[in-house]
Amino acid sequence: MSIVHPNGFGQFQQDSATPHTSRVATKCLQEHSSDFRHFHCPPISPDMNIIELICVALQCPVQKRSSSPRTPMNLRTALQDSWCAKSTGYLQTLVENMPLRVAALLRGRGDPTRY
């Protein structure tokens, strides 16, 4: 975890998707549980998954292009262009808004939120 987190302690977030609850994944998480804090999310909870928010933010501009990428390399280039168009504070804003997402999810008892 020290490679990812400068102080050597990080957070691991996951939902209850089948690949995350497999015997292999569960065993790995148990073996390395002292390396991070495990933040468990409700199943199918895009409100809490920053990666899903980033994927949507990258996909939308690609889908709105006049011509769809037809090769893996064209798709890669389109996604890179989409990423480069994001402001430098985009990821920081997602992270800073996480407490608001958590509060909204708790208020909604797991139902969809405005995020």
Side-chain angles (χ1 to χ4, degrees):
M1 186 56 77
S2 61
I3 295 171
V4 178
H5 227 269
N7 65 4
F9 191 78
Q11 294 186 23
F12 181 78
Q13 177 181 338
Q14 74 169 18
D15 57 20
S16 295
T18 304
H20 301 163
T21 58
S22 69
R23 273 185 265 138
V24 173
T26 301
K27 182 180 177 188
C28 182
L29 288 173
Q30 288 171 347
E31 289 173 358
H32 298 283
S33 64
S34 63
D35 296 337
F36 55 84
R37 185 172 34 194
H38 186 197
F39 182 73
H40 184 78
C41 293
I44 311 169
S45 183
D47 299 319
M48 297 301 298
N49 191 335
I50 290 177
I51 298 299
E52 289 186 31
L53 298 172
I54 293 169
C55 286
V56 169
L58 295 179
Q59 287 173 354
C60 286
V62 172
Q63 291 172 343
K64 290 179 181 176
R65 290 174 151 229
S66 58
S67 63
S68 297
R70 300 204 183 272
T71 67
M73 187 54 86
N74 287 350
L75 177 59
R76 179 181 177 170
T77 301
L79 289 170
Q80 285 176 331
D81 291 346
S82 180
W83 178 256
C84 290
K86 295 285 170 218
S87 70
T88 54
Y90 174 70
L91 291 177
Q92 187 64 36
T93 301
L94 289 177
V95 171
E96 289 171 356
N97 287 336
M98 186 54 79
L100 298 173
R101 281 186 192 56
V102 171
L105 187 68
L106 291 173
R107 275 193 311 275
R109 297 182 183 199
D111 289 335
T113 67
R114 69 178 185 94
Y115 285 100

